[in-house]
Amino acid sequence: MDLTLSFQELFDRHRRQHKARVTFDAALEAFYLYDAPNTDLAHRLFALYVLYAYYAAEETTQNPFLCLFLECLDPCVRGQWVERRFVASLLSGKADNFAQQSPNALAQRPDTVLSHPVLSMERHAELKQAVARWLVAPDAVVTSSPSMDNVKLDNATTIDWDALILIRACTTWPRLVDTLPLVPTQLVPLIDLNLLLATNVVPLLLQHTLLAPMYMDALIGQPVSMNSIEVVHHVLTQEPHLFNADFVHAYILKAIQSCYDVDGPWQDKLVRHVSKFIFSLIKMQALQPLSDYVLDLQVFCLEFIHNPGASALYQAITNQ
């Protein structure tokens, strides 16, 4: 491959060589070149241009390699600063600025050709949301908000279709988590709405966003539900470092208090669930030192001693 030719000439050759193949399969050849471990900068720039050029006539959000482009913009994921500027130029609609340049020239003297384009936060978020839609439903074109997924909880805790799309996609591509339009007050409603989804997303929120302390405050600030107990237990089991000791203590006290705030059959269920949760944490040795919890747990167990779960928890505490 003669990388002294211009990007456009090289792309035209590539397209002629693969004209018998469908567009995606032809573009894959360029992707494999880019992703190979020993590919040099000039070849990587060529591959990125080809992946863009094959779909240049369409809206950028329809490019199936958009995920790769967005990863190139992240210095923690892929590529060098030259690639970041190159991709930002492509996504900003400035491909014509260097279409007649050669990959070799660009790789050797990037500052003379590449400016420092700024992709707006709004455009970046729009492109990430497009990736999210592909990840959630790659064969679907969403033109309106499906009623089953457009959940209006109240003015403060609305979770709309676009938010749910992003939340679901985060489980496939965690780097989308920083685009989530999920304020802390929406966390518990999300947990109650979809336990499985929340179990996957909450660890990402705690690990990859600056709002982690506020999300933890939201878990403590609202009444504890059986779903939220499941999510907290999952995190403590799989990634215990995401919750500090102060949070665990405060959450247990909140869970105990929530048992007093309900009555009837629902109270019995919640007491049993809270008791099982605490018993599991004791077995995991997640409550350290246990002496800090004993008094509150004894009072709770004696108050609900008729409940089999509380009774079993009381026996576990007294045997420690």
Side-chain angles (χ1 to χ4, degrees):
M1 185 186 305
D2 184 2
L3 294 184
T4 62
L5 298 175
S6 70
F7 281 103
Q8 188 60 49
E9 289 174 313
L10 288 167
F11 170 65
D12 290 339
R13 285 190 176 189
H14 191 279
R15 185 165 49 184
R16 287 195 299 270
Q17 289 171 359
H18 299 281
K19 64 181 180 181
R21 308 175 70 178
V22 297
T23 300
F24 183 76
D25 287 346
L28 271 180
E29 294 294 328
F31 173 78
Y32 293 144
L33 173 64
Y34 176 86
D35 213 37
N38 298 320
T39 302
D40 61 29
L41 177 59
H43 282 86
R44 289 202 303 273
L45 294 174
F46 159 72
L48 289 170
Y49 185 87
V50 168
L51 294 174
Y52 174 82
Y54 267 117
Y55 298 92
E58 303 179 28
E59 168 58 38
T60 305
T61 55
Q62 300 301 309
N63 190 314
F65 298 95
L66 180 56
C67 184
L68 170 65
F69 295 146
L70 293 178
E71 288 185 351
C72 287
L73 293 178
D74 189 335
C76 298
V77 184
R78 288 182 181 268
Q80 306 175 15
W81 68 268
V82 179
E83 292 165 70
R84 289 197 293 278
R85 287 195 186 183
F86 186 73
V87 168
S89 295
L90 293 174
L91 298 181
S92 301
K94 299 178 180 178
D96 290 344
N97 291 359
F98 46 79
Q100 301 308 316
Q101 300 288 333
S102 72
N104 272 352
L106 188 56
Q108 293 168 8
R109 300 183 302 278
D111 283 330
T112 63
V113 179
L114 285 176
S115 60
H116 195 356
V118 177
L119 195 65
S120 69
M121 293 180 61
E122 293 79 8
R123 180 57 172 166
H124 200 173
E126 178 189 355
L127 295 177
K128 280 192 171 185
Q129 188 166 334
V131 172
R133 291 179 183 275
W134 278 94
L135 292 172
V136 174
D139 298 322
V141 177
V142 180
T143 56
S144 61
S145 301
S147 58
M148 290 183 63
D149 282 314
N150 194 23
V151 182
K152 303 294 183 181
L153 296 158
D154 58 50
N155 290 337
T157 57
T158 297
I159 301 177
D160 61 21
W161 168 243
D162 287 336
L164 282 174
I165 283 178
L166 284 170
I167 293 167
R168 288 171 180 163
C170 282
T171 62
T172 302
W173 196 36
R175 294 188 179 278
L176 284 169
V177 75
D178 63 353
T179 69
L180 287 182
L182 189 72
V183 298
T185 55
Q186 293 175 313
L187 182 59
V188 172
L190 171 65
I191 290 171
D192 292 334
L193 173 68
N194 191 321
L195 174 60
L196 180 61
L197 181 61
T199 299
N200 291 320
V201 170
V202 167
L204 299 177
L205 293 172
L206 298 175
Q207 195 166 6
H208 296 294
T209 71
L210 298 177
L211 295 179
M214 297 178 67
Y215 285 123
M216 287 192 279
D217 288 343
L219 286 170
I220 298 170
Q222 299 186 43
V224 168
S225 66
M226 289 192 286
N227 274 12
S228 73
I229 290 173
E230 291 293 336
V231 170
V232 170
H233 184 264
H234 172 78
V235 174
L236 287 171
T237 302
Q238 302 298 321
E239 301 183 75
H241 62 281
L242 296 179
F243 286 142
N244 56 44
D246 289 340
F247 169 82
V248 175
H249 199 158
Y251 187 81
I252 287 177
L253 294 180
K254 184 68 176 184
I256 290 173
Q257 181 59 48
S258 296
C259 293
Y260 291 95
D261 295 339
V262 295
D263 51 27
W266 181 247
Q267 185 184 62
D268 288 337
K269 291 180 180 179
L270 188 57
V271 169
R272 187 166 60 250
H273 211 72
V274 169
S275 300
K276 183 179 178 182
F277 167 63
I278 297 173
F279 184 82
S280 176
L281 296 185
I282 292 174
K283 288 185 65 177
M284 292 163 47
Q285 298 185 339
L287 307 184
Q288 298 295 332
L290 185 58
S291 57
D292 290 351
Y293 298 83
V294 168
L295 181 59
D296 291 315
L297 296 181
Q298 286 178 334
V299 171
F300 166 71
C301 292
L302 290 173
E303 177 69 25
F304 298 103
I305 197 66
H306 64 281
N307 187 289
S311 178
L313 178 60
Y314 183 77
Q315 292 178 7
I317 295 170
T318 55
N319 289 335
Q320 291 293 316

